[in-house]
Amino acid sequence: MLRFAAVLTAATLAAGSAAAQAPQPGEAAFRALYKELVETNTTFSAGSCTLAAERMAARLKAAGFADSAITVFTPPGAPKDGGLVAVYPGTDPKAKAILLLAHIDVVEAKREDWTRDPFTLVEEDGYFYGRGASDDKSQAAIWTDLLIRLKQEGFKPRRGIKIALTCGEEGGGQVNGAAWLAQNRRELIDAAFALNEGAGGALDKAGGKPVVHNIQAGEKTSVSFRLEAVNPGGHSSRPVPDNAIYHLAKAIDRIAAYQFPVQMNDTTRAYFGKMSGVVGGEMGAAMSAIVANPNDAAANAVLSRDANHNAILRTTCVATQISGGHAQNALPQRANATINCRIFPGESPAAVREALVKAVGDATVEVSQPPKGRGDTPAPPLTREVMGPIEKVSAQMWPGVPVVPILQAGGTDAKPLIEAGIPTYGVTGIFYDPDLGRLHGLNERIAVKSLMDAREFSYRLVKLYAQAK
């Protein structure tokens, strides 16, 4: 999962105030829960999400949750790809619940490549190390611990609170639990809105101080198109200009030169508007200008030089795979390429395909659209109901650090929930170093202080949401 990389070019330019680190109730129990979850292997090759879900369910039951409040589910034919839904009831039956979503599957990790055992949680030099220590077992542990903490307090929320811990977000071969729930058990996760991964805070490079606190509101959709050129071929000793590989190469070159137009929504307008003051200089001025006029060519040119900014300004398409020919001494009969597009919220794959066809400008090259999938998922609205509590708690914990909505250029499990009618936002309160915690890479880590601050942030935030009218 690609996270909020767009902020990182700005993250080294300014610094805010660090959050105060206060002792937290139940921290030892939280650490034990987090350790158990990280040390439960949930890779596709050798692990089991179902086992992780069962272990979290056991902790909830030990805290006093009734069996009726806990559902451990397994998609048919996928006994290791299970997940957990747990419900903390509210006092107002007319008030829709809040859903807290996290995935418990992790990217593969080879012991021989890591400095430490990836499935043993290690605390060292102010960091927790382990596969999933950040992505996304940090959030799954926070949500599970949160319900236990509220149960122990005897908290009486107006709105119900639900957690969903699901498998398959990393795309390694497991069934996607969030999509499965949305399609098959929608009633289990019904909610007014959901909180998910996909964003967080950025720390400066120099002193690890908070710079900006990002909230994900919307994400681009990944859709891959296929270019294919077909030709009768012939003997390579008698070349002709009508060559399938040549046609394909020219088509790819034209796509490389094509730039989709700038698009703006509430999230990107808020992002560029707020970040302009943080970044400053030429880039900051371009951010202000693009908000004022999305057709400003000069501002577009400046922002597009940065791959992270370019990624959230528009739909992007790039060649990622290519193949062609059937023999070294024969003219190619077939050549094809994969064009992976990240589609701006609200734009359809059909419209993107049409733009690619026009850019290619060659009737001998077919541009085929995938048989399923949609790219027109809208961004969830940035309402005061959602943003107000985030801004309030963030100001308490990180005074002076701006809260900035972002559009996610990558993908999370927010998409199937949004399509099912549940607005979903990336809200974690986890602040990352410029290396993004080495997510998906070697020696994944998260700062101990960042994790504990995020635990406190989520606790305060969810309580506000749960009591809101």
Side-chain angles (χ1 to χ4, degrees):
M1 184 204 67
L2 178 65
R3 290 185 183 245
F4 42 99
V7 304
L8 294 182
T9 53
T12 59
L13 303 178
S17 301
Q21 187 71 19
Q24 294 184 8
E27 185 173 316
F30 169 68
R31 284 171 171 261
L33 183 157
Y34 174 59
K35 177 180 175 65
E36 181 177 43
L37 190 55
V38 172
E39 294 186 352
T40 303
N41 188 326
T42 53
T43 60
F44 174 64
S45 65
S48 171
C49 288
T50 304
L51 178 59
E54 289 171 344
R55 287 176 170 174
M56 294 303 99
R59 287 185 175 270
L60 290 169
K61 290 177 183 180
F65 280 82
D67 289 351
S68 59
I70 299 169
T71 302
V72 175
F73 65 92
T74 53
K80 293 184 177 182
D81 299 353
L84 165 71
V85 176
V87 181
Y88 192 107
T91 59
D92 184 351
K94 295 181 180 179
K96 273 196 165 186
I98 306 154
L99 177 64
L100 310 177
L101 176 69
H103 70 86
I104 51 177
D105 61 310
V106 295
V107 172
E108 300 287 341
K110 295 182 178 180
R111 175 64 186 94
E112 61 269 25
D113 295 336
W114 283 55
T115 304
R116 308 158 192 84
D117 182 350
F119 298 104
T120 298
L121 185 69
V122 175
E123 183 176 352
E124 186 177 299
D125 298 328
Y127 289 90
F128 286 121
Y129 290 86
R131 175 58 87 217
S134 177
D135 186 13
D136 183 34
K137 290 181 176 178
S138 58
Q139 198 62 54
I142 285 172
W143 292 150
T144 308
D145 168 78
L146 175 57
L147 287 198
I148 293 172
R149 191 172 173 182
L150 296 179
K151 185 76 169 177
Q152 291 171 339
E153 291 177 358
F155 181 58
K156 301 293 184 184
R158 175 176 172 267
R159 293 174 180 269
I161 303 166
K162 300 179 178 181
I163 65 169
L165 309 183
T166 59
C167 201
E169 192 272 351
E170 297 294 4
Q174 293 143 317
V175 174
N176 184 284
W180 188 87
L181 285 170
Q183 295 164 7
N184 298 281
R185 296 298 305 274
R186 173 69 170 73
E187 77 286 355
L188 279 180
I189 57 171
D190 187 43
F193 59 90
L195 307 184
N196 184 33
E197 60 163 349
L203 300 170
D204 75 333
K205 184 183 295 185
K209 293 182 178 180
V211 176
V212 62
H213 188 189
N214 289 117
I215 308 302
Q216 179 192 334
E219 60 186 48
K220 298 172 83 175
T221 299
S222 176
V223 177
S224 290
F225 296 85
R226 179 183 175 88
L227 304 187
E228 185 167 57
V230 179
N231 194 280
H235 202 286
S236 63
S237 65
R238 294 174 175 80
V240 294
D242 185 16
N243 182 301
I245 290 177
Y246 294 167
H247 284 289
L248 181 70
K250 290 175 183 177
I252 293 172
D253 190 53
R254 289 168 187 153
I255 289 174
Y258 177 73
Q259 186 180 67
F260 282 81
V262 170
Q263 296 190 64
M264 303 288 283
N265 60 17
D266 289 347
T267 302
T268 54
R269 275 189 289 270
Y271 172 77
F272 285 117
K274 290 190 175 185
M275 288 303 295
S276 61
V278 176
V279 175
E282 180 188 34
M283 191 69 74
M287 289 177 173
S288 294
I290 208 77
V291 172
N293 177 16
N295 296 317
D296 188 318
N300 178 18
V302 171
L303 293 171
S304 297
R305 291 201 300 263
D306 184 297
N308 296 313
H309 296 143
N310 181 66
I312 61 174
L313 277 174
R314 55 176 52 84
T315 291
T316 59
C317 293
V318 61
T320 56
Q321 293 178 309
I322 187 170
S323 64
H326 58 285
Q328 65 177 359
N329 58 352
L331 300 178
Q333 296 172 0
R334 191 179 301 272
N336 59 71
T338 299
I339 305 296
N340 181 251
C341 297
R342 301 298 174 125
I343 300 176
F344 197 88
E347 188 171 20
S348 70
V352 173
R353 178 186 174 276
E354 183 179 351
L356 292 176
V357 170
K358 289 181 179 178
V360 167
D362 183 347
T364 68
V365 177
E366 181 184 3
V367 182
S368 59
Q369 184 176 336
K372 61 181 180 178
R374 51 182 290 183
D376 55 349
T377 307
L382 291 168
T383 64
R384 292 312 303 165
E385 176 190 23
V386 172
M387 292 301 295
I390 294 171
E391 291 169 349
K392 180 177 180 178
V393 178
S394 187
Q396 291 171 354
M397 296 191 64
W398 303 286
V401 176
V403 175
V404 180
I406 63 165
L407 171 69
Q408 178 58 262
T412 72
D413 278 337
K415 186 174 184 290
L417 267 63
I418 293 172
E419 291 176 354
I422 303 172
T424 304
Y425 304 86
V427 185
T428 67
I430 298 173
F431 279 73
Y432 289 90
D433 294 319
D435 68 0
L436 275 180
R438 305 169 183 170
L439 305 180
H440 291 196
L442 296 177
N443 306 312
E444 181 181 342
R445 68 182 189 175
I446 186 172
V448 175
K449 175 174 167 51
S450 289
L451 181 63
M452 297 307 168
D453 281 351
R455 177 179 181 249
E456 180 64 19
F457 170 80
S458 296
Y459 169 76
R460 297 187 196 180
L461 178 65
V462 171
K463 289 187 81 170
L464 284 181
Y465 283 143
Q467 296 294 61
K469 296 290 186 180

